[in-house]
Amino acid sequence: NLTLSVAVFPLPEQERIQKIQQNWGLWAKRGDIDLIVPMTYALDTVRFERLAQPWIASTQFGQLGSALLVPGIRLLNLPTPGAFDQIQAIRDLPTIGYALFAAENLTGDLQQVFNNTQGNSQSTDREPIPHRQPFKSASLRYTTLQAEWQWIEQNNQLRLTPTALGSFKEQASVLESALKQLAEKPSVSKFVTAKSSLARFQSLFRGWMRSQSVENSYQVRVWENRLVAIERLLKYGERVELRLR
């Protein structure tokens, strides 16, 4: 019942096996590890994204099994604006989060940025930790995504036809219910329902968002990435909460 994480070098497979005997891709495929933290350390965001992207793509194509990927950001000598820029880059990609290295380099300036951007800090509700409560995390993240869609619709920024909007809202509610039920009391049947509801929603999403994508393709891509992150949490939860794999 332990969660096993590994901090790894983000090198191509043959290079890391020959140089450091670190075959973490195989460990992930076999289900030996739960959390992969590639040391994607860089002083600029472009290089950081270039280091992280191949491994994020590997999770999308199932090359790392059900293991969760958490790219690492090295804070040492990284200015606060640069650190926040890398954090934001990860938030917009299809991954469940980021890891900061190291605690001793978490400056007061960066902490102040977090305090100013994380919403109501007075809330007593504790957010679920993704690798410990993946189903609850998936449900909460989807609820947050829905709140964003609702805000955009209320401000007349959601470019959907009335028919598409009706279908979108209906399927969004179906998925919300399925994820909440799975989070409250996980079971195989609820997992199957949530997984199929998410797959259906994802298959329809690009069609619904065709006009929105013309106006703001980056925004739609980020939404799709967040749905992929929820999909990853379900796959991970299947193994660690339902013990099926």
Side-chain angles (χ1 to χ4, degrees), residues 51-62:
L51 288 169
Q53 281 281 12
W55 314 117
I56 293 172
S58 294
T59 65
Q60 287 181 264
F61 294 112

Side-chain angles (χ1 to χ4, degrees), residues 203-214:
S203 70
L204 296 170
F205 190 78
R206 186 159 294 183
W208 288 325
M209 296 294 164
R210 188 171 291 113
S211 297
Q212 189 80 15
S213 187
V214 171

Side-chain angles (χ1 to χ4, degrees), residues 93-125:
L93 293 171
T95 184
I96 65 141
Y98 53 87
L100 299 177
F101 178 78
E104 64 189 30
N105 303 124
L106 184 59
T107 65
D109 288 345
L110 185 56
Q111 188 62 58
Q112 189 59 50
V113 171
F114 285 140
N115 293 339
N116 293 338
T117 59
Q118 298 306 302
N120 182 12
S121 60
Q122 303 303 314
S123 175
T124 57
D125 295 334

